[in-house]
Amino acid sequence: MSADLPDYSRSRAILIGTSVYQDPHFRPLPAVANNLRGMHEVLTDPALCAWPAERTTVLKDPSDVRKLVQRLRRLAQETTDVLLVYFAGHGTITRRGQLCMILTDTESADADITGLEFERVSEALLDSPAQMKIVILDCCYSGRAIEVLSGADAIADSTDTRGVYTLTASDHTAHVVALDQQADAYTSFTGELLDLLCTGIVGGPPKLMLNDIYLHLRHRLGAAGLPTPNQRGTDTADRYPFTQNAASAETCARGEEGTNTLDLPVDAQTREPPSPIDPPGGETAVGGAGREESKAPDSGGVAVGPMIMGQVLRGRDITVTLPTGSRSYEIGGGEPGWRGPFQQAYNELMNETNWIGHPVTDAYVEGPGVVQRFESHLSLFGWVLCALPHQRPVAVAGEVWQALEAAGGGVPGGDGLSAVGFPAPTSQTTRRIDAQATRLDLTGGQWGKGLLLRDTDGEDWRWEPVARFGMDMTRAAEYWTADRAAQQLRMRAVATLPWADAGDLSVTSQRRLVLEQALPISKLAGVTTTLSRHRGADLRAAEWNRGPNRNALDAFSYSSVMTAPDGRTALSAEVMMALPSTMNSCVVTCAEVRIEDLTAWADALAASGGTPREDLRLSVQEMVEFFAVAWQTATEVLASVVTDNVSAMRWADPPTVELRLSAERRYDTTPQPQPMLDDYIDMSPFGSSDRGQLRQMAVTITAPPRLDRRQDLTRQAMVYMAQQFGFLDVTEEGL
C-alpha cells in the first residue's frame, strides 16, 4: 500500500447487512438492503473510492454464524493490504456486555450464540496480515466496537497509514426513517455518509482522509438532530485516503446532469424525523403520530438496557436511551482536562449522599460546555453532569435536562444548548438540581443569562431571558415611520418576538374584532387620554379606526386621532403588528403616541375647557408612565391577537422591546427647523448632557413578554438610556 492508494489486488472490502429477520423480536429494516447497494456503488465508483468490483464482497441477509465467521476469517487471512468491513442492521448487547450484530436467524433469547458477536469479528481482523483495517458499523451500540479494536498495538512511522480504524454510528441507539418509508431510503448514518462521499467537501483536499470524512459527517448528523458518530484509530490510520473528493473532481458519483447514480434519496432536508433502528428490549420507539408501539417480550434473554421514554415538552417527544453493563466509563474521561473537576464534583455529591449513578458515556463537548451522562437505578431518567469552561460542574436530573434541551429547540440549526446555556454553578459546592426543581438560573449561552421555569401545573417548562438593557438598535426600530407630520414627537415601544413557530400565525377576523372592542378601554387609550387631562381637558382616545398602515391577514394597524376645532391633528395613538415575511422572520408589534402639532393641541385643549398654558411639554414622569403601558401593550395585548399564550411560545432568539423617543420633521421641499426633544419633553430631571440638545433617544430591553414589575424596569431603563446619552447624574430617585 502506497501513501496514496491501496494495492487493490491484495485488498478486500466486505459489506454485511441484515434487513430481514426470522425472530419477530427484530423488526425488518428494508433500508439496510439499500445501504449495501449504495456502499457497493460508491466503493466501486472509479471517480470516488475506485475499488474493483471483484475485490468487494457483499453478504446480504447472512445466517448461520459459524459459516459466516469462517468466511470472514478466510477473507481476512487472504488480505494483506487494506481490509474494510462494513455492517448495517440491528445490534444489541449480550449478557456479557458484548456488542452482538443480529443475523437473519438470530434468536433474541440466545443472541450471544446465534448472532455475530463483534469479538469474533475483531479476532478475524486482528489476526489478518492486512496493513490497514477499516471497520464501519451502522447499528445500535456500535460504539462498543471501538474499545475492542483500539487495543491493536503497533508502532508505525508517522508518515505511514498502518493500523486499525473504526467508525461507528452511535454509542447508544442508531436511527433510521420510519418503516413505511424505508423502501426508498438509507439508514440515517449511512445515508449521510454516502451523501458526503458523493458530494465531497468544498475546499477540501483532492483525496479525503478518514478523519476528514468523520469531522464533516459528525457535523452533518449533529446539525440534523441525529446521533453523532464516533471514531478511533491506532497509529495514523485516520490519515488513510478513503476517497477522491467529489467536490474537486471533474466527475462524481452522481453521474451526468446531476442525477444520483445510487438512485435513492439522500437529501437530509427531506427526511422525516428518524426512529431508532433497534430500540432496546425489542421495543419500537414511541415518538409521535404514525409511529408504531409494541411491548417488549416477556423473555429476558438479552440484556439490552432500559429504554427511557421522555415526556412531551412543548409538542416535542424526547427519547433518551441508555445502555447497561459492558464498558466501564471513567468519570470525566473522554474530553481532556475534565477528569479532575468531574471526579471532584462526583465525590462531593457522594459525600452528601447525593447518588447520581454511574457514567454511561464519556465526557463530551455539547453546547457551551462539557457533558457526561449517568444512569442510576434510583432514577428513571438518569443524571447529567455539565460544566462550562473554568466553572464548577452542575448535576442535573435527566428529566430537567430534557426540558433544558427542549427550551432551545426552536433555534435555527438545532444547537439549543449553545443558545440557552447551562445551569449556573455555585462557587463553593457542586450544585445539584433534582427532578422537583421549578426554576433554573442559566448562563454561558449565546442568548445571555436566562431562566428555565416550570409552569404551576408542573408539566411544561419555558425559557425566559433575565431582563437587561442595551443600546443596539433593532431591525424593526423604524417600522411604520414613513409618514410624518411637519414636526412631531414620536414615543413608541417596538417589540420583536422571534417565535420559532410563527410561520402559521395569522390575524383572524374574530381576533381582530376582539382587539377593536378592547382598544377604546385599553391602558394605552387611558394613558393617551391622561396626557390631556393633566392639562385640564378631556380629550379621550375613545374612537379607534383601521389604518393608517396596512391591514391584512399578516398585519394590522389601528389609530385614534384627537384634533383641533379646525380639523388639524393634535395628538394620535396607534398600534401595529406585522407577522413574519420574506424580509423579517419575527413577529413585530408597536404601540406609539405622536404629538403632531403643539399649537393644534393647545387649541383642542382650550376648546375642551382646558386652562390655557404656555408650556405643554410632557414631564419625564408622563414619559415613564407611557412607556410602561406601551411596552405592556406591544408584548401582551397585541401579541395575544395571534396566540392564546404568549409565554408558551418557543423562542428562536431572545425577545426584545425598544423604547424610542424621536423629535421628527417631514423631509420635503418645505423648509422646517429640526425639532429637539426639549421642545416636547421637560428634560430637566435628567440633568445636563455633554451632548447638547438631542433629537432622539432609545433603549433596547431584552425581557420576557409578561412581567410583574414592568413599571420599575421602565424607570430603570429610562435611567440607563439617559446615562448612555450623556445625562451622567440622573438617578431613579430623581425621576
Side-chain angles (χ1 to χ4, degrees):
M1 178 178 65
S2 69
D4 294 324
L5 291 173
D7 181 351
Y8 288 121
S9 66
R10 299 187 297 116
S11 300
R12 172 69 60 180
I14 306 171
L15 309 179
I16 309 170
T18 311
S19 60
V20 295
Y21 305 88
Q22 297 173 10
D23 190 329
H25 181 96
F26 305 110
R27 59 189 178 90
L29 293 173
V32 168
N34 301 330
N35 286 7
L36 293 177
R37 180 158 61 91
M39 287 294 297
H40 181 266
E41 292 187 10
V42 165
L43 286 175
T44 58
D45 191 318
L48 295 176
C49 301
W51 283 70
E54 64 271 16
R55 303 304 297 175
T56 61
T57 300
V58 179
L59 303 177
K60 180 183 177 184
D61 297 328
S63 59
D64 194 335
V65 64
R66 183 178 62 86
K67 291 183 179 179
L68 178 60
V69 172
Q70 288 175 339
R71 188 170 186 185
L72 283 174
R73 287 177 176 173
R74 178 176 58 80
L75 292 173
Q77 285 295 327
E78 295 172 353
T79 305
T80 57
D81 196 37
V82 177
L83 176 61
L84 186 155
V85 176
Y86 167 88
F87 175 83
H90 284 302
T92 190
I93 304 299
T94 66
R95 295 185 184 91
R96 297 188 299 116
Q98 299 298 316
L99 170 64
C100 183
M101 294 170 286
I102 307 303
L103 307 181
T104 297
D105 59 351
T106 297
E107 299 173 11
S108 60
D110 297 299
D112 54 341
I113 58 176
T114 58
L116 178 60
E117 282 195 315
F118 186 76
E119 190 173 10
R120 299 184 184 182
V121 178
S122 68
E123 290 172 354
L125 291 168
L126 299 179
D127 289 342
S128 170
Q131 295 185 56
M132 176 72 185
K133 295 117 179 179
I134 303 171
V135 180
I136 302 175
L137 299 181
D138 187 356
C139 64
C140 292
Y141 308 111
S142 55
R144 303 298 177 89
I146 285 180
E147 61 178 302
V148 177
L149 284 178
S150 62
D153 187 15
I155 300 177
D157 185 83
S158 62
T159 61
D160 202 354
T161 52
R162 295 158 54 189
V164 179
Y165 179 85
T166 313
L167 176 63
T168 63
S170 173
D171 282 343
H172 303 147
T173 304
H175 285 76
V176 68
V177 295
L179 180 59
D180 60 357
Q181 302 173 34
Q182 291 187 40
D184 296 319
Y186 302 119
T187 60
S188 299
F189 168 81
T190 296
E192 289 290 352
L193 174 61
L194 291 173
D195 191 47
L196 178 59
L197 296 177
C198 286
T199 57
I201 300 173
V202 176
K207 292 183 175 64
L208 298 181
M209 298 181 184
L210 288 168
N211 190 56
D212 297 325
I213 295 169
Y214 166 75
L215 292 175
H216 283 76
L217 183 62
R218 183 178 179 86
H219 175 75
R220 281 183 171 212
L221 289 165
L226 300 171
T228 52
N230 287 308
Q231 70 164 351
R232 184 70 60 85
T234 64
D235 305 326
T236 55
D238 60 347
R239 301 183 191 176
Y240 171 71
F242 188 79
T243 182
Q244 296 285 343
N245 185 357
S248 64
E250 294 182 1
T251 59
C252 69
R254 291 189 179 275
E256 298 179 357
E257 298 180 359
T259 58
N260 180 4
T261 60
L262 302 181
D263 196 28
L264 285 171
V266 294
D267 184 357
Q269 299 302 317
T270 62
R271 285 200 186 98
E272 291 297 316
S275 59
I277 284 182
D278 186 26
E283 294 178 316
T284 298
V286 180
R291 298 190 187 176
E292 50 189 354
E293 178 180 3
S294 58
K295 295 182 179 180
D298 294 333
S299 59
V302 183
V304 293
M307 181 167 189
I308 311 302
M309 302 308 302
Q311 61 187 149
V312 178
L313 296 169
R314 298 191 180 279
R316 301 178 63 211
D317 292 335
I318 301 175
T319 302
V320 176
T321 307
L322 300 175
T324 59
S326 72
R327 174 179 172 183
S328 177
Y329 291 92
E330 183 178 5
I331 297 171
E335 190 64 27
W338 287 100
R339 183 177 287 106
F342 272 41
Q343 288 184 351
Q344 179 184 0
Y346 188 86
N347 291 337
E348 287 181 0
L349 293 168
M350 289 292 290
N351 290 337
E352 298 173 2
T353 66
N354 291 321
W355 169 250
I356 64 172
H358 57 273
V360 291
T361 69
D362 282 327
Y364 58 92
V365 174
E366 185 170 8
V370 175
V371 169
Q372 187 170 27
R373 295 180 180 270
F374 290 74
E375 184 182 35
S376 168
H377 66 281
L378 300 177
S379 171
L380 182 64
F381 293 89
W383 286 81
V384 170
L385 267 183
C386 65
L388 295 166
H390 313 298
Q391 300 285 331
R392 297 180 70 95
V394 176
V396 185
E399 49 266 69
V400 179
W401 187 260
Q402 288 184 2
L404 183 62
E405 292 176 316
V411 178
D415 193 3
L417 288 175
S418 290
V420 301
F422 284 177
T426 57
S427 59
Q428 301 299 323
T429 60
T430 298
R431 184 182 180 190
R432 180 178 181 271
I433 301 172
D434 61 27
Q436 286 70 48
T438 59
R439 172 190 169 115
L440 276 70
D441 297 306
L442 304 177
T443 189
Q446 297 167 356
W447 289 357
K449 291 184 178 181
L451 300 172
L452 186 66
L453 303 173
R454 193 198 296 258
D455 288 344
T456 54
D457 60 9
E459 294 295 328
D460 295 324
W461 293 78
R462 69 182 186 276
W463 176 87
E464 289 186 356
V466 172
R468 59 185 181 272
F469 308 132
M471 297 301 293
D472 293 335
M473 181 177 176
T474 64
R475 185 175 182 179
E478 294 190 352
Y479 280 18
W480 304 290
T481 61
D483 294 331
R484 298 179 177 181
Q487 290 182 327
Q488 67 179 15
L489 171 71
R490 188 191 304 268
M491 298 191 300
R492 59 175 11 201
V494 184
T496 300
L497 306 172
W499 287 322
D501 309 310
D504 296 329
L505 299 178
S506 65
V507 182
T508 65
S509 58
Q510 182 178 2
R511 289 182 179 269
R512 186 184 294 275
L513 177 61
V514 172
L515 177 64
E516 291 173 352
Q517 294 172 343
L519 283 173
I521 56 174
S522 65
K523 290 183 179 180
L524 183 64
V527 76
T528 305
T529 300
T530 300
L531 295 179
S532 295
R533 286 181 175 171
H534 285 170
R535 289 152 181 82
D538 191 17
L539 297 178
R540 298 187 180 185
E543 183 177 345
W544 291 75
N545 299 298
R546 296 185 182 184
N549 291 290
R550 191 169 69 94
N551 281 274
L553 291 177
D554 63 347
F556 64 70
S557 166
Y558 289 90
S559 60
S560 179
V561 179
M562 282 135 281
T563 62
D566 59 2
R568 287 172 299 152
T569 299
L571 198 67
S572 63
E574 186 178 357
V575 295
M576 301 80 92
M577 169 182 276
L579 297 183
S581 65
T582 55
M583 299 297 294
N584 181 41
S585 61
C586 304
V587 174
V588 177
T589 61
C590 179
E592 73 176 27
V593 161
R594 300 183 294 271
I595 300 177
E596 301 191 27
D597 189 327
L598 284 172
T599 303
W601 193 20
D603 292 343
L605 293 172
S608 298
T611 303
R613 52 193 297 182
E614 293 183 4
D615 189 358
L616 292 178
R617 292 183 302 168
L618 306 184
S619 68
V620 169
Q621 180 60 35
E622 287 176 319
M623 181 183 69
V624 171
E625 291 175 355
F626 165 77
F627 274 132
V629 170
W631 179 2
Q632 185 264 345
T633 300
T635 58
E636 294 188 36
V637 177
L638 303 185
S640 66
V641 174
V642 292
T643 179
D644 290 324
N645 191 342
V646 175
S647 299
M649 300 289 283
R650 291 191 307 151
W651 298 109
D653 217 26
T656 62
V657 63
E658 186 170 1
L659 310 182
R660 292 187 65 82
L661 292 164
S662 56
E664 305 169 350
R665 69 182 176 90
R666 184 186 301 141
Y667 293 100
D668 56 19
T669 58
T670 305
Q672 295 285 348
Q674 172 63 53
M676 297 294 175
L677 291 178
D678 274 331
D679 296 332
Y680 297 95
I681 303 171
D682 179 6
M683 307 287 282
S684 59
F686 284 162
S688 60
S689 170
D690 58 1
R691 301 190 186 183
Q693 289 191 318
L694 300 170
R695 290 184 296 178
Q696 62 181 11
M697 298 171 66
V699 59
T700 298
I701 307 170
T702 302
R706 297 188 181 277
L707 287 169
D708 294 329
R709 53 188 188 95
R710 197 183 305 273
Q711 191 79 25
D712 292 339
L713 278 174
T714 303
R715 192 174 299 276
Q716 294 168 17
M718 293 297 101
V719 171
Y720 176 88
M721 177 184 71
Q723 291 173 343
Q724 299 303 310
F725 280 88
F727 297 96
L728 302 182
D729 298 325
V730 66
T731 63
E732 274 192 70
E733 294 74 16
L735 296 186

